[in-house]
Amino acid sequence: MVEEKVVYQRPDALCDVPTHYCPGCTHGVAHRLVAEVIDELGVRGRTIGVSPVGCAVFAYQYFDMDGAEAAHGRAPAMATGIKRVMPDHVVFTYQGDGDLAAIGIAEIIHAATRGENITTIFINNAIYGMTGGQMAPTTLPGQRTTSSPSGRDVELTGYPIRMAELLAGMPGAAYVARQSLHSVKEINRAKRAIATAFKAQLAGLGFSMVELLSSCPTNWKLTPPEALAWVEQVMVPYYPLGEYKVTDEVRALTRKQG
Amino acid sequence: MTIELLKGNVALAEAAIRAGVEAYFGYPITPQTELLEHMAKRMPELGRAFVQAESEVAAINMVYGAACTGVRTMTSSSSPGISLMQEGLSYIAGSEVPAVIVDIMRGGPGLGNIQPSQSDYFQVTRSAGHGDYHPIVLAPASVQEAIDLMTEAFDLADKYRHVVYVVADGLLGQMMEPAELPPMQPLRKERAGWALTGSEGREKRIITSLQLNAPDLEAVNLRLQFKLAEIRKREQRSTEMLTENVRLVVVGYGTAGRIAETAVKRAREDGMKVGLFRPITLWPFPERRLSALADQVDAFLVVEMNAGQMLDDVRLAAGGQVPVSFVGRMGGVVPVPEEIYDKIEEIYVKLPVRVR
């Protein structure tokens, strides 16, 4: 007799539906990590997710929990409204780089400065995905996009913005980290960061954000393996991985809970 | 209950509190700031949510978020701030969640000034942002009416799951009048069946204005239009004074309606058969009653503190049956009764000899 043991299955917090994400895109991995963390914390029934405008616009279709769809960039404001009247609920936003770092930069900075007790999952793939590959605030110097066809010229368009470093400087931020989804090792680290971010919220410690370096093979015009290599070789050097803000309270929390 | 001397903005804020508003989000802008300041003091005292947002854009999206959870929520602003809120208002209307917005109008366009105006009539009645819809718009003419309509605004927002404006000009927001506040309503314990409250023990709920499939979005629009048609049928409100057996009816809302009342009374004293019609709902515009009046009178005169915006709606209601004239001031200039009186007289003497 061989004893069967389930070692891998769909998390309860993810719906059993087909996804619209492109092959090789790491949004699916990010969704799964968030869902696993929510399952492990046992908070699915009291979690409300706020979806962005961008490739993850349908995130609410994939997460099996209450959800709302925000206007472009406004997810942190919307999440603030929800959290202030539902303080016992878990509220998170899931946003891309155009959404969070361009049109919504005021909302995310002020959510962080207020120490808004919400969690933000930030997908940085250095490009506007849904609109077909335009330059994002996170597009790297020299990177070709449909709106920087000769490569991003920093003299004309400025430099890519490092959001984790920026938000870590906000006193209201309890936990800010940047991780990557380009390898199994990094995915495991990313999950630990997401878990810490949600635990910080559950403990009422303030704003938490995890930036995830993510791939966009379609708009980068690379194969999925090439895209993961590009994340590692091109994005990581500009966007160093690690924890940028861990308050003492958050550190105590992770030490206590493992 | 006692009659107190209350400032318009403060009265609006306290009336909202007593109507059970659980969350206020706002940004300072003259001439409505006292409303925000009253909320800043009172809401935390009562254990309710108050956030001074980083912008009107953020404020309305905070309102959107709170509204999704089924609580009574609101913001307040003045004309340029209302311009910034158009995006969020469109999402709120598209998602069909209830929200109340107070607009204490000032002179425009652009930064304009901080003087009283009715420059937002188009902005608040035609739509609020992109898409095919009208918000409900209530226009008080006194501090007491502002209090009464504030309570009603929340009831209408809940009933229709829609955007409801209470619009006044800076004069009404800033002036003090004797008025009576209603008793404090208890906060609702139950949340509506559509609200986001966490999916524990039930299917998940989604609130979105996104429908990628054209027929699906058309279905949403048809539902919205059906709702608006119901509102149009049921919620037209107006008041009138001395409109029986008159030849000319002056039409004005809010402060302009009040100033027109003084002019109409003087014209009556001088023997002119003139009455006053004051819309209370700007949308739905009280077209039924005004059309009925068009059958009975010889002319309408519209008075506004703008270049003639409600004028379009009065013309539509008049349906070409009677001539519609206009008198108004712009840029924060408040008309005096004399100039309205002069216009009444000018029109009145030219009215055709009655044959019917």
Side-chain angles (χ1 to χ4, degrees), chain B residues 79-289:
Chain B
S79 312
I82 297 293
S83 298
L84 278 169
M85 291 183 182
Q86 302 296 302
E87 173 196 64
L89 290 168
S90 178
Y91 281 71
I92 289 169
S95 307
E96 296 189 88
V97 292
V100 172
I101 291 88
V102 173
D103 178 10
I104 307 297
M105 297 181 279
R106 58 189 246 187
L111 195 51
N113 60 25
I114 57 172
Q115 311 303 324
S117 175
Q118 296 180 326
S119 60
D120 291 358
Y121 186 91
F122 285 155
Q123 169 158 262
V124 297
T125 61
R126 263 40 193 172
S127 75
H130 55 288
D132 246 340
Y133 75 99
H134 300 271
I136 297 171
V137 185
L138 308 175
S142 67
V143 172
Q144 185 64 59
E145 196 176 25
I147 291 167
D148 299 344
L149 290 180
M150 199 69 217
T151 310
E152 186 155 17
F154 284 102
D155 292 341
L156 287 168
D158 283 342
K159 181 176 177 186
Y160 294 106
R161 288 170 60 183
H162 198 45
V163 174
V164 179
Y165 274 110
V166 176
V167 299
D169 55 73
L171 207 151
L172 195 55
Q174 294 293 322
M175 75 179 177
M176 295 183 86
E177 281 192 303
E180 188 177 354
L181 285 159
M184 184 76 87
Q185 284 185 30
L187 294 185
R188 286 179 304 194
K189 294 196 174 69
E190 300 275 300
R191 299 280 171 94
W194 49 265
L196 303 185
T197 54
S199 62
E200 194 68 59
R202 60 160 170 79
E203 291 288 297
K204 72 173 189 175
R205 292 177 188 154
I206 298 301
I207 292 182
T208 181
S209 60
L210 176 69
Q211 298 290 340
L212 271 192
N213 184 21
D216 291 347
L217 185 55
E218 190 178 45
V220 169
N221 270 278
L222 286 170
R223 191 176 71 232
L224 194 54
Q225 292 303 318
F226 177 79
K227 178 168 85 177
L228 294 176
E230 281 296 302
I231 295 171
R232 202 170 209 152
K233 198 161 79 186
R234 294 166 192 274
E235 308 296 351
Q236 295 184 19
R237 291 169 178 59
S238 58
T239 182
E240 49 200 88
M241 178 192 83
L242 306 166
T243 49
E244 270 189 44
N245 299 317
V246 292
R247 302 200 64 193
L248 173 68
V249 164
V250 179
V251 186
Y253 64 92
T255 296
R258 225 168 132 167
I259 298 165
E261 186 178 325
T262 307
V264 165
K265 281 178 180 162
R266 282 187 203 165
R268 301 281 298 199
E269 284 165 17
D270 293 345
M272 289 180 263
K273 290 179 170 177
V274 185
L276 176 78
F277 180 82
R278 182 165 65 79
I280 292 171
T281 51
L282 303 185
W283 202 94
F285 189 72
E287 58 197 357
R288 263 200 314 272
R289 179 59 193 149

Side-chain angles (χ1 to χ4, degrees), chain A residues 66 95 99 107 113-114 124 126 132 137-138 155 159 165 178 188 196 198 203 222 225 231:
Chain A
D66 278 8
Q95 304 175 257
D99 193 85
E107 283 77 9
T113 56
R114 284 193 304 269
N124 177 359
T138 46
E155 293 297 314
Y159 292 84
E165 289 85 334
R178 180 188 294 119
N188 283 329
T196 304
F198 276 96
L222 298 174
V231 173

